[in-house]
């Protein structure tokens, strides 16, 4: 009986450990994806600003004609 309880404790610990490790792995993936999304947004914003600057200069030049 005591041996069965010990084996059950080990099994529960294995399940808990596996769950925690999986949770850590998923959290790390979410952090990476979040950083990747933020970096992509920064690049897109920088590209938009450059595009808008050139477009603004083009309009100024076109209006002057």
């Amino acid at each position: 009986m005591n041996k069965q309880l010990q084996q059950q404790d080990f099994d529960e610990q294995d399940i808990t450990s596996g769950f925690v490790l999986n949770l850590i792995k998923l959290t790390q993936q979410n952090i990476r994806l979040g950083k990747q999304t933020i970096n992509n947004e920064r690049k897109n914003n920088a590209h938009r600003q450059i595009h808008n600057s050139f477009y603004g200069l083009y309009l100024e030049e076109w209006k002057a004609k």
Side-chain angles (χ1 to χ4, degrees), residues 1 8 14 25 43 46 49 51:
M1 181 72 174
Q8 184 179 354
D14 286 346
K25 180 180 159 190
K43 288 177 188 175
Q49 288 174 349
H51 176 75

Side-chain angles (χ1 to χ4, degrees), residues 19-40:
F19 177 79
V20 170
L21 289 173
N22 195 33
L23 186 61
I24 290 169
K25 180 180 159 190
L26 291 173
T27 302
Q28 289 171 337
Q29 287 175 347
N30 285 338
I31 290 169
R32 271 195 304 276
L33 289 172
K35 287 180 180 177
Q36 184 179 8
T37 302
I38 290 169
N39 287 337
N40 287 343

Side-chain angles (χ1 to χ4, degrees), residues 39-57:
N39 287 337
N40 287 343
E41 278 300 310
R42 286 182 183 155
K43 288 177 188 175
N44 288 341
N45 287 338
H47 178 72
R48 259 188 237 110
Q49 288 174 349
I50 290 169
H51 176 75
N52 290 341
S53 295
F54 283 118
Y55 185 69
L57 290 173

